[in-house]
Amino acid sequence: DVTGDAGTHILKEGLLGSSIPMLVQYGDKQVLVWQEYDGTRQTANSSVLTYSVYNNGEWSKPTAVYDDGCGDSYADIKVINDTLALVWQKQTKTITDEEAENSETALSTLAANSEIYYAEFDNSTDTFTNIIRITDNEYCDMMPKFVEGTNDISVAYVRNDDNSFLQTSGNNQI
């Protein structure tokens, strides 16, 4: 549920159960980011990072930040030096039906293809632009967070050197 001048109403149903909606004030707008399921996709690829903008008393239609068919997960959003910045964990490969049949294979594929992405909000178009992949390697990069107390846009994230998505083996590095 979201609250605006018109009161409380439901913006979207079918959110990812573990999604934590993030709401940021940016100028005269509010930007809400969350994860939801895309029911048209195979389950392992169904998580989509989505946003809506509250402007002039209305919420915009929920829209994917960057939809390439691969799953999205953990995200962080923050205004830094007048830039509304977004960072999130994204898969760079879809999980096939065959891979999804075996949970170990699915987790291994998720881990090996888990990278960190970045985007900036364009206030004139109400869209996320300047989308870049921060990491591009064979390691499991996950759980990005903007670094507090800096003047620059800096991101910290966890890297598991054994590609253990659940972090049950290998070393975690920040």
Side-chain angles (χ1 to χ4, degrees), residues 36-89:
E36 68 181 42
Y37 288 112
D38 180 341
T40 66
R41 294 186 191 174
Q42 189 259 12
T43 302
N45 305 305
S46 66
S47 177
V48 179
L49 190 62
T50 306
Y51 71 99
S52 180
V53 179
Y54 186 75
N55 190 27
N56 297 323
E58 292 186 31
W59 286 99
S60 66
K61 177 184 174 193
T63 305
V65 172
Y66 175 55
D67 190 358
D68 62 355
C70 298
D72 301 316
S73 51
Y74 190 94
D76 192 22
I77 188 168
K78 184 175 181 172
V79 177
I80 304 170
N81 293 333
D82 297 323
T83 299
L84 179 55
L86 175 68
V87 65
W88 75 103
Q89 179 179 336

Coordinates of all heavy atoms in Angstrom, one line a residue, residues 36-89:
E36 N 9.3 -7.5 -7.9 CA 8.1 -8.2 -8.1 C 8.3 -9.4 -9.1 O 9.3 -9.5 -9.7 CB 7.0 -7.3 -8.7 CG 7.2 -6.8 -10.1 CD 6.1 -5.9 -10.6 OE1 5.6 -5.1 -9.8 OE2 5.7 -6.1 -11.7
Y37 N 7.3 -10.3 -9.1 CA 7.4 -11.5 -10.0 C 6.9 -11.1 -11.3 O 5.9 -10.4 -11.5 CB 6.5 -12.6 -9.4 CG 7.1 -13.3 -8.2 CD1 6.5 -13.1 -7.0 CD2 8.2 -14.1 -8.3 CE1 7.0 -13.8 -5.8 CE2 8.8 -14.7 -7.1 CZ 8.1 -14.5 -5.9 OH 8.6 -15.1 -4.8
D38 N 7.5 -11.6 -12.4 CA 6.9 -11.6 -13.7 C 6.4 -13.0 -14.0 O 7.2 -13.9 -14.2 CB 8.0 -11.2 -14.7 CG 7.5 -11.1 -16.2 OD1 6.4 -11.8 -16.5 OD2 8.2 -10.5 -17.0
G39 N 5.1 -13.2 -14.0 CA 4.5 -14.5 -14.1 C 4.7 -15.1 -15.5 O 4.4 -16.3 -15.6
T40 N 5.2 -14.4 -16.5 CA 5.4 -14.9 -17.8 C 6.8 -15.6 -17.9 O 7.1 -16.3 -18.9 CB 5.3 -13.9 -18.9 OG1 6.4 -12.9 -18.7 CG2 4.0 -13.1 -18.8
R41 N 7.6 -15.5 -16.9 CA 8.9 -16.1 -16.9 C 9.0 -17.3 -16.0 O 8.3 -17.5 -15.1 CB 9.9 -15.1 -16.3 CG 10.1 -13.8 -17.1 CD 11.3 -13.1 -16.5 NE 11.4 -11.7 -17.0 CZ 12.2 -10.8 -16.6 NH1 13.0 -11.1 -15.6 NH2 12.2 -9.6 -17.1
Q42 N 10.0 -18.1 -16.4 CA 10.3 -19.3 -15.5 C 10.7 -18.7 -14.2 O 11.3 -17.7 -14.0 CB 11.5 -20.1 -16.2 CG 11.8 -21.4 -15.6 CD 13.0 -21.3 -14.7 OE1 13.5 -20.3 -14.4 NE2 13.5 -22.5 -14.4
T43 N 10.4 -19.4 -13.1 CA 10.5 -19.0 -11.7 C 11.9 -18.4 -11.4 O 12.0 -17.4 -10.8 CB 10.1 -20.1 -10.7 OG1 8.8 -20.5 -11.0 CG2 10.2 -19.6 -9.3
A44 N 12.9 -19.1 -11.8 CA 14.3 -18.7 -11.4 C 14.7 -17.3 -12.0 O 15.6 -16.7 -11.6 CB 15.3 -19.7 -11.8
N45 N 13.9 -16.9 -13.1 CA 14.2 -15.6 -13.8 C 13.1 -14.6 -13.5 O 13.1 -13.5 -14.2 CB 14.3 -15.9 -15.3 CG 15.4 -16.9 -15.6 OD1 16.5 -16.9 -15.2 ND2 14.9 -18.0 -16.3
S46 N 12.2 -14.9 -12.6 CA 11.0 -14.0 -12.6 C 11.1 -12.8 -11.7 O 10.2 -11.9 -11.8 CB 9.8 -14.9 -12.0 OG 10.1 -15.3 -10.7
S47 N 12.1 -12.6 -11.0 CA 12.2 -11.4 -10.1 C 12.7 -10.2 -11.0 O 13.7 -10.2 -11.6 CB 13.3 -11.6 -9.0 OG 13.4 -10.5 -8.3
V48 N 11.9 -9.1 -10.9 CA 12.1 -7.9 -11.7 C 12.2 -6.7 -10.8 O 11.2 -6.5 -10.0 CB 11.0 -7.7 -12.8 CG1 11.3 -6.5 -13.6 CG2 10.9 -8.9 -13.7
L49 N 13.2 -5.9 -10.9 CA 13.3 -4.7 -10.1 C 12.4 -3.6 -10.8 O 12.6 -3.4 -12.0 CB 14.8 -4.2 -10.1 CG 15.0 -3.0 -9.1 CD1 14.7 -3.4 -7.7 CD2 16.5 -2.6 -9.3
T50 N 11.5 -3.1 -10.1 CA 10.4 -2.3 -10.6 C 10.4 -0.9 -9.9 O 10.7 -0.9 -8.7 CB 9.1 -3.0 -10.5 OG1 9.2 -4.3 -11.1 CG2 7.9 -2.3 -11.2
Y51 N 9.9 0.1 -10.6 CA 9.7 1.4 -9.9 C 8.5 2.1 -10.4 O 7.9 1.8 -11.4 CB 10.9 2.3 -10.2 CG 11.0 2.8 -11.6 CD1 10.6 4.1 -11.9 CD2 11.5 2.0 -12.6 CE1 10.6 4.6 -13.2 CE2 11.6 2.5 -13.9 CZ 11.2 3.8 -14.2 OH 11.2 4.3 -15.5
S52 N 8.0 3.1 -9.5 CA 6.9 3.9 -9.9 C 7.3 5.3 -9.3 O 7.9 5.4 -8.3 CB 5.6 3.4 -9.2 OG 4.5 4.3 -9.5
V53 N 6.8 6.4 -10.0 CA 7.1 7.7 -9.6 C 5.8 8.4 -9.1 O 4.8 8.4 -9.9 CB 7.7 8.5 -10.7 CG1 8.0 9.9 -10.3 CG2 9.0 7.8 -11.2
Y54 N 5.8 9.0 -8.0 CA 4.7 9.8 -7.5 C 4.9 11.2 -7.8 O 5.9 11.9 -7.3 CB 4.5 9.6 -6.0 CG 3.2 10.3 -5.4 CD1 2.0 9.7 -5.6 CD2 3.3 11.4 -4.7 CE1 0.8 10.2 -5.2 CE2 2.1 12.0 -4.2 CZ 0.9 11.4 -4.4 OH -0.2 12.0 -3.9
N55 N 4.1 11.8 -8.7 CA 4.2 13.2 -9.2 C 2.8 13.7 -9.4 O 2.0 13.1 -10.0 CB 5.1 13.2 -10.4 CG 5.5 14.6 -10.8 OD1 5.6 15.5 -10.0 ND2 5.7 14.7 -12.1
N56 N 2.6 15.0 -9.0 CA 1.3 15.6 -9.2 C 0.1 14.8 -8.8 O -0.9 14.7 -9.4 CB 1.2 16.0 -10.7 CG 2.2 17.0 -11.2 OD1 2.6 17.9 -10.5 ND2 2.7 16.8 -12.4
G57 N 0.3 14.2 -7.6 CA -0.8 13.5 -7.0 C -1.1 12.1 -7.5 O -2.1 11.5 -7.1
E58 N -0.3 11.6 -8.4 CA -0.5 10.2 -9.0 C 0.8 9.4 -9.0 O 1.8 9.9 -9.3 CB -1.1 10.4 -10.4 CG -2.5 10.9 -10.5 CD -3.0 10.9 -11.9 OE1 -2.6 10.0 -12.7 OE2 -3.8 11.8 -12.2
W59 N 0.6 8.1 -8.9 CA 1.7 7.1 -9.1 C 1.7 6.7 -10.6 O 0.7 6.5 -11.2 CB 1.5 5.9 -8.3 CG 1.8 6.2 -6.8 CD1 0.9 6.4 -5.8 CD2 3.1 6.2 -6.2 NE1 1.5 6.6 -4.7 CE2 2.9 6.5 -4.9 CE3 4.4 6.1 -6.7 CZ2 3.9 6.7 -3.9 CZ3 5.4 6.2 -5.8 CH2 5.2 6.5 -4.4
S60 N 2.9 6.7 -11.2 CA 3.1 6.2 -12.5 C 2.8 4.7 -12.6 O 2.9 4.0 -11.6 CB 4.4 6.6 -13.1 OG 5.4 5.9 -12.4
K61 N 2.6 4.3 -13.8 CA 2.5 2.8 -14.1 C 3.8 2.2 -13.6 O 4.9 2.6 -14.0 CB 2.3 2.6 -15.6 CG 2.2 1.1 -15.9 CD 2.0 0.9 -17.4 CE 2.1 -0.6 -17.7 NZ 2.3 -0.8 -19.2
P62 N 3.8 1.1 -12.8 CA 5.0 0.4 -12.5 C 5.8 -0.1 -13.7 O 5.2 -0.7 -14.6 CB 4.5 -0.8 -11.6 CG 3.2 -0.3 -11.0 CD 2.6 0.6 -12.1
T63 N 7.1 0.1 -13.7 CA 7.9 -0.2 -14.9 C 9.2 -0.8 -14.4 O 9.8 -0.5 -13.4 CB 8.3 1.2 -15.6 OG1 7.1 1.9 -15.9 CG2 9.1 0.9 -16.8
A64 N 9.7 -1.8 -15.2 CA 11.0 -2.4 -14.9 C 12.1 -1.4 -15.0 O 12.1 -0.6 -16.0 CB 11.2 -3.6 -15.8
V65 N 13.1 -1.5 -14.1 CA 14.2 -0.6 -14.3 C 15.0 -1.0 -15.5 O 15.4 -0.1 -16.3 CB 15.2 -0.7 -13.0 CG1 16.5 0.0 -13.2 CG2 14.4 -0.2 -11.8
Y66 N 15.3 -2.3 -15.7 CA 16.1 -2.8 -16.8 C 15.7 -4.2 -17.0 O 16.1 -5.1 -16.3 CB 17.6 -2.6 -16.6 CG 18.5 -3.2 -17.6 CD1 18.3 -2.8 -19.0 CD2 19.5 -4.1 -17.3 CE1 19.2 -3.3 -19.9 CE2 20.3 -4.6 -18.3 CZ 20.2 -4.3 -19.6 OH 21.0 -4.8 -20.5
D67 N 14.8 -4.5 -18.0 CA 14.3 -5.8 -18.2 C 14.9 -6.5 -19.4 O 14.7 -6.2 -20.6 CB 12.8 -5.7 -18.4 CG 12.1 -7.1 -18.4 OD1 12.8 -8.1 -18.2 OD2 10.9 -7.2 -18.5
D68 N 15.8 -7.4 -19.1 CA 16.5 -8.2 -20.2 C 16.2 -9.7 -20.1 O 16.8 -10.5 -20.7 CB 18.0 -7.9 -20.1 CG 18.6 -8.4 -18.8 OD1 17.9 -8.8 -17.9 OD2 19.9 -8.4 -18.7
G69 N 15.2 -10.0 -19.3 CA 14.8 -11.4 -19.1 C 15.5 -12.1 -18.0 O 15.1 -13.2 -17.6
C70 N 16.5 -11.5 -17.5 CA 17.3 -12.1 -16.4 C 16.8 -11.6 -15.0 O 16.3 -10.4 -14.9 CB 18.8 -11.8 -16.5 SG 19.6 -12.4 -18.0
G71 N 16.9 -12.4 -14.0 CA 16.4 -12.0 -12.7 C 17.2 -10.9 -12.0 O 18.4 -10.7 -12.2
D72 N 16.5 -10.1 -11.2 CA 17.1 -9.0 -10.4 C 16.9 -9.4 -8.9 O 15.9 -10.1 -8.6 CB 16.3 -7.7 -10.6 CG 16.3 -7.3 -12.1 OD1 17.4 -7.3 -12.7 OD2 15.3 -6.8 -12.6
S73 N 17.8 -8.9 -8.1 CA 17.6 -9.1 -6.7 C 18.1 -7.9 -5.9 O 17.9 -6.7 -6.4 CB 18.3 -10.4 -6.2 OG 19.6 -10.4 -6.6
Y74 N 18.7 -8.0 -4.8 CA 19.0 -7.0 -3.8 C 19.3 -5.7 -4.5 O 20.1 -5.6 -5.4 CB 20.2 -7.5 -3.0 CG 20.5 -6.6 -1.8 CD1 19.9 -6.9 -0.6 CD2 21.3 -5.5 -1.9 CE1 20.2 -6.1 0.5 CE2 21.5 -4.7 -0.8 CZ 21.0 -5.0 0.4 OH 21.2 -4.2 1.5
A75 N 18.7 -4.6 -3.9 CA 18.9 -3.2 -4.5 C 19.1 -2.2 -3.4 O 18.8 -2.4 -2.2 CB 17.8 -2.8 -5.4
D76 N 19.7 -1.1 -3.7 CA 19.8 0.1 -2.9 C 19.6 1.3 -3.7 O 20.0 1.4 -4.9 CB 21.2 0.1 -2.2 CG 21.3 1.1 -1.0 OD1 20.3 1.5 -0.5 OD2 22.5 1.5 -0.7
I77 N 19.0 2.4 -3.1 CA 18.7 3.6 -3.8 C 19.0 4.8 -2.9 O 18.7 4.7 -1.7 CB 17.3 3.7 -4.4 CG1 17.1 4.9 -5.3 CG2 16.3 3.6 -3.3 CD1 15.8 4.8 -6.1
K78 N 19.6 5.8 -3.5 CA 20.0 6.9 -2.6 C 20.3 8.2 -3.5 O 20.7 8.1 -4.6 CB 21.3 6.6 -1.9 CG 21.8 7.6 -0.9 CD 22.9 7.1 -0.1 CE 23.3 8.2 0.9 NZ 24.3 7.7 1.8
V79 N 19.9 9.4 -2.9 CA 20.3 10.6 -3.5 C 21.7 11.0 -3.1 O 21.9 11.1 -1.9 CB 19.3 11.7 -3.2 CG1 19.7 13.1 -3.8 CG2 17.9 11.4 -3.6
I80 N 22.6 11.1 -4.1 CA 24.0 11.5 -3.8 C 24.4 12.7 -4.7 O 24.3 12.5 -5.9 CB 24.9 10.3 -4.0 CG1 24.5 9.1 -3.2 CG2 26.4 10.7 -3.7 CD1 25.2 7.8 -3.5
N81 N 24.7 13.8 -4.1 CA 25.1 15.0 -4.9 C 24.1 15.3 -6.0 O 24.4 15.5 -7.1 CB 26.5 14.8 -5.5 CG 27.6 14.7 -4.5 OD1 27.5 15.3 -3.5 ND2 28.7 14.0 -4.9
D82 N 22.8 15.4 -5.6 CA 21.7 15.7 -6.5 C 21.5 14.6 -7.6 O 20.7 14.9 -8.5 CB 21.9 17.1 -7.2 CG 21.9 18.2 -6.1 OD1 21.2 18.1 -5.1 OD2 22.7 19.1 -6.3
T83 N 22.1 13.5 -7.5 CA 21.8 12.4 -8.4 C 21.0 11.3 -7.7 O 21.5 10.9 -6.6 CB 23.1 11.8 -8.9 OG1 23.8 12.8 -9.7 CG2 22.9 10.6 -9.8
L84 N 19.9 10.9 -8.2 CA 19.2 9.7 -7.6 C 19.8 8.5 -8.3 O 19.7 8.2 -9.5 CB 17.7 9.8 -7.9 CG 16.9 8.6 -7.4 CD1 17.1 8.4 -5.9 CD2 15.4 8.8 -7.7
A85 N 20.6 7.7 -7.4 CA 21.4 6.6 -7.9 C 20.7 5.3 -7.4 O 20.2 5.2 -6.3 CB 22.8 6.7 -7.5
L86 N 20.8 4.3 -8.3 CA 20.3 3.0 -7.9 C 21.4 1.9 -8.2 O 22.0 2.0 -9.3 CB 19.0 2.7 -8.8 CG 18.4 1.3 -8.7 CD1 17.8 1.1 -7.3 CD2 17.4 1.1 -9.8
V87 N 21.5 1.0 -7.3 CA 22.5 -0.1 -7.6 C 21.7 -1.4 -7.2 O 20.9 -1.4 -6.3 CB 23.8 0.1 -6.7 CG1 23.5 0.0 -5.3 CG2 24.9 -0.9 -7.2
W88 N 22.0 -2.5 -8.0 CA 21.3 -3.7 -7.7 C 22.1 -4.9 -8.2 O 23.0 -4.8 -9.0 CB 19.9 -3.7 -8.2 CG 19.7 -3.9 -9.7 CD1 19.3 -5.0 -10.3 CD2 19.8 -2.9 -10.7 NE1 19.2 -4.8 -11.7 CE2 19.5 -3.5 -11.9 CE3 20.3 -1.6 -10.7 CZ2 19.6 -2.8 -13.2 CZ3 20.3 -0.9 -11.9 CH2 20.0 -1.5 -13.1
Q89 N 21.7 -6.1 -7.7 CA 22.3 -7.4 -8.1 C 21.4 -7.9 -9.2 O 20.2 -7.9 -9.1 CB 22.3 -8.3 -6.9 CG 22.8 -9.7 -7.1 CD 22.8 -10.5 -5.8 OE1 22.7 -10.0 -4.7 NE2 22.7 -11.8 -6.0

